Amino acid sequence: MQKLTNKEEEIMHILWKLKKAFVKEIQAEITEDQPHYNTLSTIVRNLEEKGFVSHNAFGNTHQYYPAVTLEAYSKKYMNTAIDNYFNSSYKNMVSFFAKEEKISADELREILAMIENPNEKK
């Protein structure tokens, strides 16, 4: 599984949200720097070539849907980010977010409770 460009990731997030969509429906979801229809269609076809998207044909029109789950993509690239930016250390990652004030003490306590009781549902 290869890393996607920012625009490809944006399109995948739209498809993960919508579950299935025509190019016009994807285009309607893009709020900033909306690409031309033909450009967007090319990006979606490239995502299909990369194995991230598949389609159902309706005559000359295609309805696209994700072939890779958000969970599978997130797992792959979170692990890569942790390896590349935090020396493969989850402790370094959590301390980074704590120092940047992106995570609160209450959230850290919740994480600790999840670690201590992994089978408990919140």
Side-chain angles (χ1 to χ4, degrees):
M1 186 184 311
Q2 58 192 158
K3 178 84 171 103
L4 300 177
T5 67
N6 290 342
K7 188 55 89 176
E8 288 172 335
E9 274 191 12
E10 179 184 6
I11 292 164
M12 285 305 302
H13 279 283
I14 291 168
L15 281 171
W16 285 318
K17 175 183 149 193
L18 298 178
K19 310 268 191 270
K20 55 186 175 180
F22 296 97
V23 173
K24 280 209 177 288
E25 294 170 318
I26 296 168
Q27 189 177 35
E29 292 286 320
I30 299 173
T31 54
E32 292 181 22
D33 298 324
Q34 192 178 69
H36 185 275
Y37 178 91
N38 292 338
T39 302
L40 182 56
S41 181
T42 299
I43 294 169
V44 172
R45 284 193 313 275
N46 287 341
L47 283 166
E48 188 169 27
E49 287 176 20
K50 291 179 177 182
F52 283 87
V53 170
S54 195
H55 75 270
N56 293 317
F58 297 95
N60 292 334
T61 303
H62 294 125
Q63 185 180 47
Y64 295 94
Y65 58 91
V68 172
T69 66
L70 173 60
E71 292 76 19
Y73 185 76
S74 297
K75 183 177 181 179
K76 167 79 172 147
Y77 288 99
M78 282 304 298
N79 288 336
T80 300
I82 291 165
D83 291 345
N84 291 340
Y85 297 105
F86 301 106
N87 246 4
S88 301
S89 167
Y90 288 89
K91 177 184 167 197
N92 288 347
M93 180 192 70
V94 172
S95 66
F96 168 82
F97 287 112
K99 288 176 191 169
E100 293 291 314
E101 298 179 4
K102 303 289 185 192
I103 191 167
S104 70
D106 286 340
E107 290 169 323
L108 287 171
R109 280 189 276 281
E110 285 180 39
I111 293 168
L112 186 56
M114 284 188 255
I115 292 168
E116 291 173 342
N117 303 300
N119 296 326
E120 230 176 78
K121 300 281 183 195
K122 264 216 150 197

